[in-house]
Amino acid sequence: MANAMFPPLESDLLRTFVAVADSGNFTKAGETVGRTQSAVSMQIKKLEDILGEPLFERGSRGVNMTGHGARLLDNARRIVALLDDTAASIRLPALDGSVRIGISEEYINSTLPKALGAFAAIHPGVEVTVQQGVSMSNLAALEAGEIDIAVVFEPGGHAKNEVLMVDPTVWVTSDQQQIHERHPVPIATYTYLKGGWCDALALKNLKRRGIESRVAYISRTSNGLIAAVTSGLAIAPLTRSSIPAGCRELTAADGYDVIDFSNVVLKTRARNANNRIVESMANAIRDAFRAQPAAHS
């Protein structure tokens, strides 16, 4: 009955919708899906007519999703990903073997599951091993041949390696407690201060602003730093994409600066017997990071 009343959704329309949602711009979305700006506009209008609801609000600086658009986005992403995975599983020969990944914990529960799901749909016979760790340990494991792919942080600026995204490191505080207004301000840090660029940059950042601080919490992981912030014990240096609910970034209005415009980079072993498997997994990781919202203000 419902199908007779309403036209069916078309996958091309959903693909264009996702491209517009990710770019916030019809022209950039057109570059992604290989269509002109006017064709993208017509497709979005057609999709809105089918659904009977506006999906975007047009403005001089681009477009913003409406509430109806936000409701559609997750399902649209899943449909497009399923179609792509189905096509790839038929077109590409299935691989057998293993691949080992080292990745920072910031992306263990967000980006990595998308990459693993897409990879498994195409190559279900490949054994995947994931090592969660800080960048220094993952780089050491890659150099020692213990892992095949490393997704790690590097200080911002010119990068020699492939940059997946720029994810700024910022000071984060609890929404409920004004921790950053205490004197000296309590901060959370990692245990690997010596040689750890994040801690070194964070402390220099406070000193440059003339902010007196004391170490109130020490952790080996960013989850530990998140716990310190959410409990109201300290402020902490976290990647912008990992700011938890109930917390916010401290900005210039609060007297704080961005610590570093950190690069998230992908590195693979120079010589690897499973090159096809490693490259296929690397592509899945690249695609998952491309689907991430940009980590900017």
Side-chain angles (χ1 to χ4, degrees), residues 260-287:
D260 184 71
F261 288 90
S262 316
N263 292 322
V264 183
V265 304
L266 182 146
K267 298 189 69 173
T268 60
R269 291 177 60 195
R271 294 177 297 279
N272 198 298
N274 297 324
N275 276 337
R276 288 179 59 211
I277 296 175
V278 170
E279 186 56 28
S280 184
M281 176 59 80
N283 284 334
I285 292 171
R286 292 181 184 107
D287 290 343

Side-chain angles (χ1 to χ4, degrees), residues 40-71:
V40 168
S41 182
M42 290 174 62
Q43 283 198 308
I44 294 301
K45 179 65 168 61
K46 183 177 180 180
L47 183 58
E48 291 176 328
D49 288 344
I50 291 173
L51 296 173
E53 300 290 351
L55 301 175
F56 295 102
E57 294 176 348
R58 280 75 167 174
S60 59
R61 296 188 176 182
V63 295
N64 294 308
M65 269 195 301
T66 64
H68 298 292
R71 287 173 55 197

Side-chain angles (χ1 to χ4, degrees), residues 67-248:
H68 298 292
R71 287 173 55 197
L72 175 63
L73 185 57
D74 283 346
N75 283 334
R77 286 195 196 282
R78 282 195 288 268
I79 292 168
V80 170
L82 180 60
L83 289 170
D84 289 343
D85 291 346
T86 301
S89 66
I90 295 172
R91 293 170 182 156
L92 298 177
L95 300 175
D96 289 308
S98 63
V99 62
R100 303 161 298 175
I101 307 165
I103 190 167
S104 299
E105 65 178 317
E106 283 85 350
Y107 308 108
I108 284 287
N109 296 317
S110 55
T111 311
L112 185 63
K114 298 174 186 175
L116 296 182
F119 182 84
I122 304 171
H123 305 298
V126 174
E127 294 182 354
V128 180
T129 303
V130 177
Q131 171 180 300
Q132 175 184 307
V134 298
S135 295
M136 287 187 293
S137 64
N138 284 333
L139 287 172
L142 186 70
E143 184 68 23
E146 297 167 0
I147 59 175
D148 305 299
I149 299 173
V151 177
V152 298
F153 288 106
E154 286 185 353
H158 177 71
K160 296 180 180 179
N161 300 299
E162 177 183 352
V163 178
L164 296 170
M165 71 180 294
V166 177
D167 198 357
T169 304
V170 298
W171 287 106
V172 178
T173 189
S174 167
D175 279 337
Q176 304 300 318
Q177 304 176 57
Q178 305 300 312
I179 317 167
H180 60 285
E181 294 182 355
R182 299 176 190 170
H183 300 283
V185 63
I187 65 171
T189 67
Y190 293 103
T191 55
Y192 50 90
L193 178 58
K194 292 183 178 179
W197 63 267
C198 178
D199 276 342
L201 287 174
L203 294 176
K204 288 180 181 178
N205 178 269
L206 293 180
K207 188 174 182 180
R208 186 169 60 248
R209 273 283 189 170
I211 298 172
E212 187 179 353
S213 65
R214 68 176 183 85
V215 176
Y217 193 99
I218 297 175
S219 173
R220 290 182 180 274
T221 68
S222 62
N223 280 335
L225 302 193
I226 288 172
V229 175
T230 55
S231 65
L233 182 62
I235 66 171
L238 297 170
T239 57
R240 185 174 283 161
S241 69
S242 65
I243 297 175
C247 298
R248 68 176 180 87

